[in-house]
Amino acid sequence: MARREVSESSGRSAEATRSSESTGAGAAIGRRTVLAGAALAVPAVTMMVSTPAWAASGESITLSAPAMCVPASGGGRVTALVKDAANQPLSGTAVSFSGPSGASFSPSSSTTSGAGEATTQLDLGTPWATPGSTVTVTAVTATASTSMAFTVSGSNLLMAGRDNPPTLTQSALAFPSPVVDAVGSGWENKTPSFLALLADGTVWAKGGSDFGQLGDGTTTSRFDWLPVPGLSGVTQIAAAANSSYALLSDGSVRAWGRNAYGELGIGSTTDQLSPVAVPALTSGVTRIAAGAGHVLALLSDGSVRAWGYNGPGQVGDGTTTDRWTPVQVLGLRARATAVAAGSFASYAILSDGSVMAWGYNGYGELGIGTTDDQWSPVAVSGLTSNVVQIAGGAFSAYALLSDGSVKAWGSNGDGQLGDGSGTDQTTPVPVSGLNSGVTQIAAGVLSGYALSTDGRVRAWGSNDIGQLGDGSAANQRTPVVVPLPSGRQAQRLGAISTGCKTVLILTKTS
């Protein structure tokens, strides 16, 4: 595959500001709804303005903040604009700020400038506040008062590994809604890219963008989270090595980024810097999965479509011809209920709980007892029933069974099968210590992850840049518990891609 150096110039969003006003004595309480700009995907907040009966000067106060959001913790700018009865800015007017219990203002009182503005830094002091909740701030002068409800921006996303510390760290407090899924992508030592799906159906992105995989219309890398323009109603996200995908609530698919092998499914090999519709998938898609350069889509009728790079047969149509548009996977013996992708291999769980696999098999990652590539689906040895989830690593794979146990197969040089041996396995073997209680699995490049009913996360395999999140750089041949920040409980594992050495964990928001 072609490789390019990633630009690391950072971009920043413009700050949108909205405001509310209150007037002097006798004024009724004003009420209206302020919507943050669609480009920032900020939820609606209701503005409540009250003016005390003793205010008789006609003086008014306007409260505002960037994008009408304040961070859950750390300084966030709040500005009070004071005007007289003639709607002219008032300078030299003392303004006092107050807010919810535990919040601090620096300064707590200020004097307006010649432009009539008094500014403070608000710190709510609640780093784990639920993104999208609201807090009310009040500004008072000698003759007027106003209150404003701001949206709280925060994050329930933890990250460790590439471009992050080796222990789980809360991501930037940037999201106006809880994160419900996250995925990292990249290839070898290139700058990774990250996508976050929020509960409000928007997608945010940051990181490398040399192929446009951030979806903002440029190839400029940036390291601040910003929304992907034009996306709403998204229910699932996925990422290949340098391309990104979104499944919408209407069952259609959008794609953007690198397209050297037709992996965007649009009938060409032209990169796309913004999301575009996959023409053959306008409805009926229930799940998507992406490998290094190929993509799978599960349809509501149980059939599977695939497209993109097909050198070792991972598209599953019986050929090794790259496909620029989705084609049907041939030979699935029953309806598929789930799909997953390794770097160059594909997997499907069937309605009877069995698993079929196809594509590259150099390390035994198809689980069929050999290392022969397969251009069409074949049954994975020993997984004939009760499989509820599959995760594909770079050259290994993992299966979660209905009894809460986990099995793994394929490459094992870094201990990524978790069986303690470090030996490749061409058929599934149990992951040590994961005999019950597991509710979700995920796979990194050369590592595996499991979430249990007790909210604990366990990890194993390669850890050269701290991607296991245990605070070390030591590989682990059997699962170890990943420490979470105090008081936090894991709710979901992010859908780590096969090319990103980063672990992503979503915590509960309440």
Side-chain angles (χ1 to χ4, degrees):
M1 302 182 193
R3 302 173 182 166
R4 304 180 195 170
E5 293 300 322
V6 177
S7 166
E8 295 192 358
S9 60
S10 61
R12 296 183 179 176
S13 64
E15 296 182 338
T17 304
R18 295 157 185 79
S19 60
S20 64
E21 295 184 358
S22 65
T23 55
I29 295 177
R31 182 174 295 223
R32 55 185 171 161
T33 300
V34 179
L35 293 179
L40 289 174
V42 178
V45 295
T46 301
M47 175 191 68
M48 295 180 292
V49 181
S50 58
T51 303
W54 44 263
S57 67
E59 187 178 287
S60 67
I61 308 174
T62 297
L63 272 175
S64 63
M68 297 307 291
C69 278
V70 291
S73 183
R77 189 175 77 250
V78 175
T79 300
L81 173 61
V82 182
K83 294 182 179 181
D84 61 20
N87 203 34
Q88 296 301 307
L90 278 175
S91 63
T93 300
V95 181
S96 297
F97 298 92
S98 61
S101 176
S104 62
F105 292 87
S106 180
S108 58
S109 61
S110 181
T111 301
T112 58
S113 66
E117 294 182 342
T119 301
T120 187
Q121 292 289 316
L122 166 63
D123 188 343
L124 295 175
T126 54
W128 300 104
T130 301
S133 58
T134 59
V135 294
T136 300
V137 175
T138 298
V140 178
T141 67
T143 56
S145 172
T146 190
S147 296
M148 181 67 191
F150 294 104
T151 298
V152 175
S153 59
S155 178
N156 59 312
L157 174 62
L158 300 176
M159 307 173 70
R162 182 66 189 274
D163 292 345
N164 289 278
T167 54
L168 290 169
T169 303
Q170 189 179 21
S171 66
L173 302 178
F175 305 121
S177 181
V179 179
V180 296
D181 199 5
V183 61
S185 65
W187 193 250
E188 296 180 342
N189 294 319
K190 304 301 182 183
T191 301
S193 305
F194 299 97
L195 301 177
L197 172 61
L198 306 192
D200 62 11
T202 62
V203 178
W204 291 52
K206 74 169 185 174
S209 192
D210 47 335
F211 298 98
Q213 58 265 43
L214 298 187
D216 61 359
T218 76
T219 55
T220 301
S221 299
R222 55 174 164 76
F223 302 94
D224 295 321
W225 288 102
L226 289 174
V228 178
L231 282 181
S232 62
V234 178
T235 60
Q236 193 218 330
I237 51 177
N242 293 291
S243 50
S244 306
Y245 306 86
L247 173 61
L248 275 58
S249 57
D250 62 3
S252 64
V253 178
R254 302 291 186 272
W256 61 100
R258 188 172 189 253
N259 196 29
Y261 299 93
E263 58 261 57
L264 299 188
I266 59 175
S268 76
T269 56
T270 303
D271 296 347
Q272 300 293 322
L273 308 186
S274 300
V276 294
V278 178
L281 300 175
T282 58
S283 65
V285 179
T286 62
R287 198 72 184 168
I288 52 177
H294 76 290
V295 190
L296 306 172
L298 174 64
L299 273 61
S300 56
D301 63 3
S303 64
V304 178
R305 303 292 188 273
W307 64 97
Y309 179 59
N310 195 30
Q314 65 266 49
V315 168
D317 65 347
T319 77
T320 57
T321 302
D322 295 347
R323 299 299 182 182
W324 298 358
T325 58
V327 297
Q328 185 162 350
V329 174
L330 303 176
L332 294 175
R333 61 172 180 247
R335 294 180 66 255
T337 59
V339 291
S343 285
F344 308 106
S346 302
Y347 307 89
I349 301 176
L350 305 185
S351 55
D352 60 4
S354 65
V355 179
M356 300 191 80
W358 59 99
Y360 182 67
N361 196 32
Y363 296 88
E365 57 262 58
L366 298 188
I368 59 176
T370 75
T371 55
D372 299 327
D373 296 349
Q374 301 293 324
W375 300 356
S376 300
V378 292
V380 176
S381 177
L383 298 182
T384 58
S385 63
N386 300 318
V387 178
V388 296
Q389 188 193 348
I390 292 287
F395 303 104
S396 55
Y398 308 83
L400 173 61
L401 277 61
S402 58
D403 62 3
S405 64
V406 180
K407 292 189 175 182
W409 61 99
S411 175
N412 198 24
D414 292 279
Q416 60 264 45
L417 299 190
D419 66 345
S421 73
T423 303
D424 295 352
Q425 302 290 339
T426 59
T427 58
V429 297
V431 176
S432 178
L434 299 183
N435 305 313
S436 63
V438 176
T439 60
Q440 188 193 356
I441 54 176
V445 180
L446 301 169
S447 52
Y449 306 87
L451 172 63
S452 299
T453 53
D454 60 5
R456 290 187 176 185
V457 175
R458 291 171 173 81
W460 61 96
S462 177
N463 196 28
D464 57 320
I465 56 174
Q467 62 266 43
L468 297 188
D470 66 347
S472 78
N475 293 353
Q476 301 290 340
R477 290 189 174 185
T478 56
V480 296
V481 174
V482 179
L484 272 65
S486 178
R488 295 298 96 198
Q489 188 173 9
Q491 184 174 46
R492 179 179 172 84
L493 300 174
I496 310 160
S497 82
T498 61
C500 185
K501 293 184 175 182
T502 307
V503 59
L504 308 167
I505 297 175
L506 282 58
T507 64
K508 293 184 176 180
T509 56
S510 61

